[in-house]
Amino acid sequence: MAENAVDVVDLGSTVPDFSLWGMFAQADWIVQLVMLLLFGASLGCWAIIYDKSLRVRRITAQADRFDAEFWSGNSLEDFYDRIKKNPDHPMAALFVAAMREWQRSATGRNGSQISMGLQDRIYRVMRVTVSREMERLESYLNFLATVGSTAPFVGLFGTVWGIMNAFENIAMTHNSSLAVVAPGIAEALFATAMGLVAAIPAVVAYNKISNDLGRYANRLEGFADEFGTILSRQLDEEHH
């Protein structure tokens, strides 16, 4: 009777832990390394997603307010004087860069060749500003793309390694029962699940943020064309 009680205790003590922490703790060190790598990548992705989402909303609201003031009919010079020291969003930076170039050439704007040269410089300055601002906004998006494309394969590597260990345990114990196979298979599949958990939000967020930034870039380029037309018209009026 005592031997049966001991057997029951021994069997109970060998029951594997299928909780998330239990599967991690029981996994092979290589599988653990894969899980930690994927967990860190997932945290990094969520940090970037949070930051970029807030920034896109903020610069969109700032652009709306800027548009309202720019097209209000007030003096552009006064508007420039107010924001030139702190252009705190890309559209303001674009406006300030163009106005700065305009004011640098405020004297001696005589002749059509000088006018054409000034227009070219202003358009060039605005193109460079748009490129620089968008490069800043798109920073770290490549990390999302990289995680989205590689995390499933990293998780698959952990899965393959875990299944290899499971088969090795079968060979060593000469026992193919579910109790022997299940822990290794569960740990292996957990690695795949973590890969998908890291990859799916990264892909969805990358596509969403890229589309939002693409629309914002088109808005900047449209403003640059409109503002360049305004300055060109003013130059033509000065020479007639």
Side-chain angles (χ1 to χ4, degrees):
M1 190 72 176
E3 292 179 358
N4 292 338
V6 171
D7 291 341
V8 171
V9 172
D10 289 340
L11 287 172
S13 64
T14 59
V15 174
D17 184 1
F18 287 103
S19 66
L20 297 181
W21 172 252
M23 287 189 289
F24 173 80
Q26 296 167 12
D28 183 81
W29 71 271
I30 292 182
V31 180
Q32 288 180 338
L33 183 62
V34 169
M35 292 178 181
L36 289 175
L37 178 63
L38 292 172
F39 181 72
S42 181
L43 288 181
C45 286
W46 280 111
I48 293 171
I49 292 168
Y50 179 77
D51 176 69
K52 294 299 180 184
S53 298
L54 287 181
R55 186 171 300 184
V56 168
R57 285 199 295 269
R58 185 171 63 249
I59 62 175
T60 300
Q62 289 171 327
D64 292 338
R65 291 193 296 269
F66 178 89
D67 273 343
E69 189 164 4
F70 180 83
W71 297 108
S72 64
N74 296 326
S75 170
L76 294 182
E77 285 75 11
D78 293 341
F79 186 30
Y80 169 69
D81 290 337
R82 289 202 310 273
I83 69 172
K84 65 181 180 180
K85 292 183 180 179
N86 185 30
D88 57 351
H89 58 94
M91 192 166 288
L94 176 61
F95 170 74
V96 168
M99 285 297 293
R100 184 178 293 121
E101 185 63 32
W102 170 269
Q103 291 195 346
R104 283 174 181 170
S105 305
T107 59
R109 288 202 294 256
N110 295 317
S112 59
Q113 290 184 346
I114 294 177
S115 297
M116 290 298 297
L118 176 58
Q119 291 180 47
D120 289 340
R121 289 197 302 274
I122 290 174
Y123 277 112
R124 192 177 303 115
V125 164
M126 289 193 292
R127 285 197 301 271
V128 170
T129 303
V130 170
S131 177
R132 182 179 64 245
E133 294 297 328
M134 291 308 303
E135 182 177 356
R136 187 176 302 158
L137 291 174
E138 292 169 353
S139 61
Y140 300 110
L141 280 186
N142 286 337
F143 181 79
L144 293 181
T146 300
V147 171
S149 60
T150 61
F153 297 102
V154 175
L156 182 61
F157 169 76
T159 298
V160 171
W161 192 270
I163 291 175
M164 288 170 58
N165 287 335
F167 280 117
E168 184 178 352
N169 290 335
I170 292 173
M172 292 176 61
T173 60
H174 303 288
N175 187 351
S176 60
S177 66
L178 188 61
V180 174
V181 177
I185 299 298
E187 296 157 11
L189 295 178
F190 185 40
T192 296
M194 289 194 66
L196 295 176
V197 166
I200 292 173
V203 171
V204 173
Y206 176 82
N207 291 333
K208 175 67 168 58
I209 296 171
S210 294
N211 289 334
D212 291 342
L213 291 180
R215 287 194 296 269
Y216 188 78
N218 292 334
R219 186 172 182 177
L220 286 181
E221 292 171 358
F223 172 76
D225 290 338
E226 291 173 337
F227 188 43
T229 301
I230 292 172
L231 295 182
S232 177
R233 187 181 302 117
Q234 188 165 336
L235 275 174
D236 291 340
E237 291 173 356
E238 290 179 1
H239 292 95
H240 287 85

